[in-house]
Amino acid sequence: MMQPPPAEPGMREEEVDTPALLLDLDAFEGNLDAMAALLAEHPVKLRAHAKTHKSPVIARLQMERGAIGQCVQKVAEAEVLAWGGIPDVMVTNQVWGARKLARLMALARISRVSVCTDDAAQVAAIEAAAEAAGVRIPVLVEIDVGAARCGVEPGPPAVELAERIAASRHLTFGGLQAYHGSAQHIRAPERRTETIAQAADAARRTVEQLRQRGLDCPVVGGAGTGTFRHEAASGVYTEIQAGSYAFMDADYARNEEAPPFRHALFVLATVMSAAQPHIAVVDAGHKAIPTDSGLPLVWDRPGVSYAGASDEHGKLTVEDPSLRPRLGEKLRLVPGHCDPTVDRFDWYVGVRKGRVESLWPVAARGAMA
Amino acid sequence: MMQPPPAEPGMREEEVDTPALLLDLDAFEGNLDAMAALLAEHPVKLRAHAKTHKSPVIARLQMERGAIGQCVQKVAEAEVLAWGGIPDVMVTNQVWGARKLARLMALARISRVSVCTDDAAQVAAIEAAAEAAGVRIPVLVEIDVGAARCGVEPGPPAVELAERIAASRHLTFGGLQAYHGSAQHIRAPERRTETIAQAADAARRTVEQLRQRGLDCPVVGGAGTGTFRHEAASGVYTEIQAGSYAFMDADYARNEEAPPFRHALFVLATVMSAAQPHIAVVDAGHKAIPTDSGLPLVWDRPGVSYAGASDEHGKLTVEDPSLRPRLGEKLRLVPGHCDPTVDRFDWYVGVRKGRVESLWPVAARGAMA
């Protein structure tokens, strides 16, 4: 069941029912503008990652500022975007299974859809699905640029797979997917620089080898909020796949040279218990604000720490009892990791200058298939 | 939006779309029966915790085996159970806010609802809401038996709050809530024993002091899957609030003396990438199988480890490449923590002897308000 919205337009922020997913619209729009300005200096395009926001509304706001399309991780996310009118959606992931591929091909009738692969058997399955649906789609080869997760080795194995795609009647070779996920969260800027330089070298070498075999590589995609300035300046990446930049989270802010974006996403929580002098308990535990990338921060309340999350309780501690939030008080929490936090809610509550301005559904909430 | 069901009754397990929340019905029913048998030896009742299962269907199956009602943490969960026909629901938590309290009182027209408190101002707010709705509900005093989260101190502070409840025209004193959450996950059995002995002593002392003041304490509630045998044998607890026992998870199984229940809950996942000899990547990362209590286990596949979770990727590693799961293979994963895992899905897929037998909605999925 979809949960009812926790607010109505016009309400004051203090009236919003909790826990709620709050979007500070001034900060959010500022982040979208800042990314557009930063990328304008480079010959790259933004293909923003919708696994963060899961919203056709936000996708459209990104595209109004120059993004050429959207990325997703799952077919079910691609459906929500395509059904919501987004004209260009790339699945930056492998898709396995005839039912999922048939759903993806059905979308190719209403939007440009593309998908990644790292296996010849997957290429054959995608070709069969495209043929059955009577469509033709671009397929990218994912190369492992150091994250040791998905992707074939750069160089000859990637070229071989690209040739197989290009030789498939209902597929076109769409380019290289060269995302280094774990690099996003490396704390030291010089180590991030070095890691992405190596990834860019691997991509560049593969593009050259493709060219030697007569294959043009229209796209080299990758990058996230932690590293995009390096990929943008590399001269080899053509599409930047950042997502978190729109919201920012506590984990990205912990990088030594944090990205130039403001915290725009919060979980609004209420103090529901304050029975002990050094403890206040809020109604947002890790079911509301996942802790996979660390605990949340308490916004704008020096001396108050979010010290522990259980399922439905967030335990705030203070060293000085006079700083303890009072029973019933509403507090903004900065998520440790924005992506899974968004996916816990059905609604964005957009606020500006202390008032609720908009309600947008997290339309691809739970779209994991 | 609610996601479509990933299966239909009659399908083979291998045909279920992934990721999916799989319930092994034989193991699940065995766990329900085992708990009923274990508690039959003691003068306590089961009030199973629905924060784990979030399903009126499962609540009913527990009550058919003797459970006297259900616990929840949130008003929104209470609504789903009461609307689903469950006649007795206790909110084992504090509730703050006039809107939430009004919703809770509305439920008192169709089910017996009760709620906890640890603050005199909350008692006044609950009384006002009950008066406005023209209902009368039981309110329990939560005491802190060692978890240092919610709850007043045992003894005089608890008695004072109980007297305040009893003196409220639309409230009755419902008893003591004496749950020790952190004790559930203490690994060494002797330390769990000792911790619950202290909790039971605190509750017993408070019950005696209530009696001295002329207040009968009809309920002492608490306990979870990690400790319930101690509370059941204590002679002071009257209601056992275990929830995870129905499913079991990897974290409870890591306790040195694990509870006598079988793993019944799994996330079914598909290998979507196997491009490297020691790695297979499944389509269930921490958005599908939260890692707050540790990584999942790969079921029935010795030599294969779930080594890391990102948002939508689960990285499996093998030391021996011949054991690597193949592309497209479906694997059962045992969640590290069943409660947040259930809350990631819209559907239970009930399987028996390799076939899908039932689909039940996770009706209170996302019910955090």
Side-chain angles (χ1 to χ4, degrees), chain B residues 288-337:
Chain B
I289 192 157
T291 55
D292 56 277
S293 300
L295 293 173
L297 306 175
V298 183
W299 182 246
D300 205 16
R301 289 297 294 257
V304 183
S305 302
Y306 191 108
S310 41
D311 282 7
E312 294 89 358
H313 297 77
K315 185 163 149 179
L316 311 185
T317 54
V318 290
E319 289 199 12
D320 174 356
S322 74
L323 297 176
R324 191 192 64 182
R326 19 169 242 291
L327 187 62
E329 197 170 345
K330 288 185 176 166
L331 299 170
R332 287 182 172 196
L333 306 175
V334 179
H337 188 181

XYZ file of all heavy atoms in Angstrom, chain B residues 288-337:
378
model
N 17.444 -4.129 -1.029
C 16.568 -5.311 -0.939
C 16.782 -6.079 0.353
O 15.864 -6.734 0.847
C 16.818 -6.239 -2.133
N 17.992 -6.014 0.901
C 18.305 -6.861 2.051
C 19.222 -6.046 2.970
O 20.436 -6.102 2.906
C 18.872 -8.231 1.576
C 18.954 -9.255 2.676
C 20.170 -8.109 0.809
C 18.968 -10.711 2.193
N 18.587 -5.228 3.846
C 19.352 -4.267 4.648
C 20.449 -4.929 5.487
O 20.305 -6.073 5.925
C 18.283 -3.618 5.530
C 17.040 -3.704 4.716
C 17.140 -5.046 4.021
N 21.524 -4.184 5.710
C 22.721 -4.736 6.339
C 22.972 -4.144 7.725
O 24.078 -4.258 8.245
C 23.938 -4.467 5.438
O 24.004 -3.048 5.191
C 23.814 -5.186 4.113
N 21.936 -3.536 8.342
C 22.131 -2.919 9.661
C 22.593 -3.918 10.713
O 23.232 -3.547 11.687
C 20.841 -2.240 10.127
C 19.678 -3.212 10.152
O 19.069 -3.434 9.093
O 19.391 -3.789 11.220
N 22.250 -5.201 10.568
C 22.686 -6.217 11.540
C 23.612 -7.235 10.876
O 23.620 -8.407 11.243
C 21.481 -6.931 12.145
O 20.645 -6.009 12.813
N 24.354 -6.795 9.889
C 25.309 -7.686 9.246
C 24.848 -8.148 7.883
O 23.688 -7.970 7.496
N 25.771 -8.734 7.149
C 25.490 -9.165 5.775
C 24.627 -10.419 5.769
O 24.616 -11.185 6.731
C 26.811 -9.426 5.046
C 27.670 -8.174 4.799
C 29.030 -8.572 4.234
C 26.963 -7.216 3.843
N 23.910 -10.627 4.687
C 23.135 -11.866 4.557
C 24.040 -13.092 4.384
O 25.235 -12.958 4.121
C 22.303 -11.647 3.295
C 22.827 -10.436 2.628
C 23.725 -9.706 3.555
N 23.424 -14.253 4.532
C 24.100 -15.524 4.245
C 23.535 -16.089 2.947
O 22.357 -15.887 2.637
C 23.819 -16.530 5.368
C 24.157 -16.073 6.795
C 23.697 -17.131 7.806
C 25.655 -15.820 6.913
N 24.373 -16.789 2.220
C 23.891 -17.504 1.033
C 23.458 -18.890 1.489
O 24.239 -19.618 2.103
C 24.988 -17.590 -0.043
C 24.444 -18.264 -1.291
C 25.531 -16.191 -0.363
N 22.206 -19.213 1.230
C 21.596 -20.425 1.764
C 22.037 -21.662 0.982
O 21.987 -21.658 -0.246
C 20.070 -20.273 1.683
C 19.257 -21.407 2.241
C 18.440 -22.255 1.542
C 19.143 -21.787 3.609
N 17.829 -23.136 2.392
C 18.250 -22.869 3.679
C 19.713 -21.309 4.790
C 17.907 -23.493 4.872
C 19.383 -21.933 5.992
C 18.490 -23.006 6.024
N 22.479 -22.665 1.729
C 22.674 -23.989 1.135
C 23.701 -23.977 0.001
O 23.582 -24.754 -0.951
C 21.312 -24.493 0.603
C 21.268 -26.007 0.533
O 22.126 -26.640 1.163
O 20.397 -26.543 -0.171
N 24.663 -23.077 0.072
C 25.721 -23.040 -0.944
C 27.062 -22.885 -0.254
O 27.626 -21.788 -0.208
C 25.493 -21.868 -1.921
C 24.317 -22.062 -2.854
C 24.517 -23.258 -3.767
N 25.610 -23.026 -4.677
C 25.444 -22.693 -5.962
N 24.247 -22.601 -6.489
N 26.497 -22.493 -6.715
N 27.591 -23.980 0.309
C 28.879 -23.897 0.988
C 29.947 -23.342 0.048
O 29.955 -23.651 -1.145
C 29.186 -25.352 1.352
C 27.923 -26.110 1.162
C 27.062 -25.342 0.224
N 30.823 -22.507 0.601
C 31.906 -21.945 -0.203
C 31.559 -20.652 -0.894
O 32.409 -20.025 -1.502
N 30.274 -20.234 -0.819
C 29.856 -18.973 -1.449
C 29.495 -17.975 -0.354
O 28.654 -18.263 0.495
C 28.637 -19.189 -2.377
C 28.280 -17.885 -3.080
C 28.903 -20.296 -3.379
N 30.126 -16.804 -0.369
C 29.867 -15.782 0.651
C 29.275 -14.529 0.025
O 29.681 -14.127 -1.064
C 31.181 -15.363 1.331
O 31.798 -16.475 1.898
N 28.340 -13.917 0.740
C 27.852 -12.590 0.358
C 28.847 -11.621 0.987
O 28.850 -11.405 2.198
C 26.450 -12.392 0.901
C 25.720 -11.161 0.370
C 24.673 -11.300 -0.536
C 26.061 -9.877 0.783
C 23.980 -10.192 -1.010
C 25.381 -8.765 0.299
C 24.338 -8.930 -0.586
O 23.662 -7.828 -1.051
N 29.705 -11.031 0.162
C 30.862 -10.306 0.699
C 30.648 -8.810 0.781
O 31.371 -8.123 1.506
C 32.087 -10.601 -0.160
N 29.666 -8.283 0.039
C 29.471 -6.838 0.088
C 28.186 -6.431 -0.592
O 27.794 -7.023 -1.600
N 27.541 -5.414 -0.018
C 26.272 -4.924 -0.560
C 26.436 -3.472 -0.991
O 26.856 -2.635 -0.195
C 25.177 -5.014 0.497
N 26.094 -3.154 -2.218
C 25.866 -1.760 -2.567
C 24.356 -1.621 -2.803
O 23.588 -2.543 -2.497
C 26.736 -1.323 -3.743
O 26.815 -2.307 -4.723
N 23.910 -0.470 -3.293
C 22.469 -0.228 -3.329
C 21.706 -1.378 -4.004
O 20.752 -1.910 -3.450
C 22.154 1.062 -4.095
C 22.405 2.306 -3.261
O 22.935 2.171 -2.153
O 22.080 3.405 -3.727
N 22.105 -1.709 -5.227
C 21.354 -2.696 -5.996
C 22.176 -3.917 -6.384
O 21.734 -4.740 -7.173
C 20.774 -2.066 -7.274
C 19.706 -1.007 -7.025
C 20.290 0.378 -6.861
O 21.536 0.510 -6.910
O 19.510 1.333 -6.671
N 23.395 -4.023 -5.868
C 24.276 -5.143 -6.200
C 24.680 -5.870 -4.924
O 25.058 -5.233 -3.945
C 25.571 -4.663 -6.855
C 25.411 -3.970 -8.174
N 24.986 -2.679 -8.285
C 25.644 -4.396 -9.439
C 24.954 -2.334 -9.580
N 25.350 -3.352 -10.299
N 24.628 -7.187 -4.979
C 25.199 -8.012 -3.916
C 26.362 -8.783 -4.500
O 26.206 -9.501 -5.486
N 27.520 -8.608 -3.887
C 28.731 -9.232 -4.436
C 28.999 -10.532 -3.711
O 29.247 -10.541 -2.501
C 29.889 -8.245 -4.251
C 31.200 -8.657 -4.864
C 32.080 -7.407 -4.967
C 33.543 -7.694 -4.847
N 34.325 -6.434 -4.973
N 28.927 -11.642 -4.433
C 29.234 -12.951 -3.865
C 30.654 -13.324 -4.250
O 31.067 -13.096 -5.394
C 28.283 -14.023 -4.417
C 26.781 -13.728 -4.389
C 26.005 -14.957 -4.853
C 26.331 -13.307 -2.996
N 31.376 -13.889 -3.306
C 32.742 -14.317 -3.617
C 32.897 -15.805 -3.306
O 32.203 -16.351 -2.442
C 33.780 -13.522 -2.804
O 33.460 -13.616 -1.419
C 33.800 -12.060 -3.210
N 33.812 -16.423 -4.056
C 34.163 -17.829 -3.824
C 35.682 -17.913 -3.803
O 36.357 -17.181 -4.525
C 33.623 -18.756 -4.931
C 32.110 -18.854 -4.857
C 34.055 -18.285 -6.312
N 36.196 -18.793 -2.973
C 37.640 -19.017 -3.053
C 37.948 -19.972 -4.202
O 38.944 -19.843 -4.895
C 38.156 -19.582 -1.730
C 38.121 -18.520 -0.648
C 39.025 -18.857 0.519
O 39.848 -19.779 0.420
O 38.887 -18.179 1.552
N 37.058 -20.922 -4.389
C 37.241 -21.919 -5.449
C 36.336 -21.543 -6.629
O 35.114 -21.634 -6.533
C 36.845 -23.286 -4.873
C 36.860 -24.383 -5.910
O 37.100 -24.095 -7.104
O 36.621 -25.545 -5.519
N 36.933 -21.124 -7.765
C 36.111 -20.663 -8.894
C 35.103 -21.708 -9.387
O 34.074 -21.345 -9.960
C 37.143 -20.369 -9.989
C 38.434 -20.173 -9.284
C 38.378 -21.018 -8.042
N 35.355 -22.979 -9.113
C 34.403 -23.997 -9.590
C 33.088 -23.920 -8.809
O 32.081 -24.487 -9.225
C 35.013 -25.390 -9.461
O 35.042 -25.790 -8.104
N 33.113 -23.243 -7.669
C 31.882 -23.110 -6.872
C 31.092 -21.846 -7.231
O 30.017 -21.624 -6.695
C 32.239 -23.051 -5.370
C 32.906 -24.298 -4.786
C 33.291 -24.050 -3.327
C 31.958 -25.501 -4.885
N 31.628 -21.028 -8.106
C 30.955 -19.755 -8.420
C 29.578 -20.010 -9.029
O 29.447 -20.757 -10.001
C 31.799 -18.940 -9.401
C 31.270 -17.516 -9.539
C 31.889 -16.805 -10.703
N 31.506 -17.459 -11.952
C 31.927 -17.082 -13.142
N 32.763 -16.096 -13.248
N 31.526 -17.723 -14.227
N 28.528 -19.404 -8.462
C 27.189 -19.536 -9.074
C 27.231 -19.022 -10.508
O 27.973 -18.104 -10.839
C 26.308 -18.649 -8.189
C 27.021 -18.582 -6.875
C 28.478 -18.608 -7.220
N 26.406 -19.621 -11.368
C 26.437 -19.229 -12.779
C 25.450 -18.105 -13.062
O 24.488 -17.880 -12.319
C 26.149 -20.385 -13.735
C 25.475 -21.615 -13.203
C 24.997 -22.600 -14.237
N 23.536 -22.714 -14.128
C 22.921 -23.278 -13.081
N 23.610 -23.786 -12.059
N 21.597 -23.318 -13.025
N 25.724 -17.425 -14.145
C 24.861 -16.337 -14.609
C 23.421 -16.841 -14.744
O 23.188 -17.901 -15.333
C 25.388 -15.863 -15.968
C 24.761 -14.622 -16.576
C 24.968 -13.407 -15.692
C 25.365 -14.367 -17.976
N 22.487 -16.102 -14.180
C 21.080 -16.469 -14.285
C 20.588 -17.369 -13.166
O 19.380 -17.556 -13.002
N 21.509 -17.899 -12.376
C 21.109 -18.807 -11.294
C 20.368 -18.033 -10.203
O 20.687 -16.880 -9.912
C 22.359 -19.470 -10.714
C 22.049 -20.699 -9.884
C 23.318 -21.472 -9.513
O 24.382 -21.229 -10.125
O 23.234 -22.298 -8.596
N 19.368 -18.679 -9.602
C 18.627 -18.043 -8.501
C 19.085 -18.624 -7.177
O 19.212 -19.843 -7.033
C 17.128 -18.216 -8.707
C 16.665 -17.320 -9.865
C 15.196 -17.295 -10.110
C 14.919 -16.280 -11.231
N 13.573 -16.386 -11.786
N 19.317 -17.746 -6.222
C 19.844 -18.143 -4.918
C 18.973 -17.565 -3.822
O 18.454 -16.455 -3.940
C 21.269 -17.587 -4.746
C 22.316 -18.056 -5.754
C 23.594 -17.248 -5.597
C 22.603 -19.538 -5.564
N 18.841 -18.335 -2.743
C 18.170 -17.819 -1.546
C 19.202 -17.166 -0.647
O 20.244 -17.743 -0.346
C 17.524 -18.966 -0.767
C 16.270 -19.557 -1.385
C 15.747 -20.652 -0.459
N 14.432 -21.153 -0.862
C 13.645 -21.876 -0.065
N 14.035 -22.183 1.170
N 12.471 -22.299 -0.487
N 18.878 -15.970 -0.185
C 19.726 -15.268 0.786
C 18.987 -15.198 2.119
O 17.781 -14.912 2.149
C 20.020 -13.844 0.307
C 20.618 -13.710 -1.103
C 20.730 -12.233 -1.478
C 21.970 -14.390 -1.192
N 19.690 -15.446 3.220
C 19.112 -15.298 4.561
C 19.389 -13.866 5.025
O 20.544 -13.469 5.124
C 19.758 -16.281 5.554
C 19.153 -16.101 6.943
C 19.611 -17.715 5.079
N 18.350 -13.074 5.297
C 18.589 -11.689 5.715
C 19.381 -11.614 7.018
O 19.171 -12.421 7.930
C 17.178 -11.130 5.937
C 16.269 -12.039 5.183
C 16.919 -13.384 5.204
N 20.249 -10.604 7.124
C 20.905 -10.333 8.391
C 19.886 -9.969 9.459
O 20.011 -10.363 10.616
N 18.830 -9.262 9.075
C 17.809 -8.761 10.008
C 16.470 -8.829 9.276
O 16.268 -8.133 8.275
C 18.177 -7.325 10.395
C 17.339 -6.744 11.488
N 17.510 -5.452 11.946
C 16.331 -7.257 12.233
C 16.642 -5.210 12.909
N 15.922 -6.283 13.095
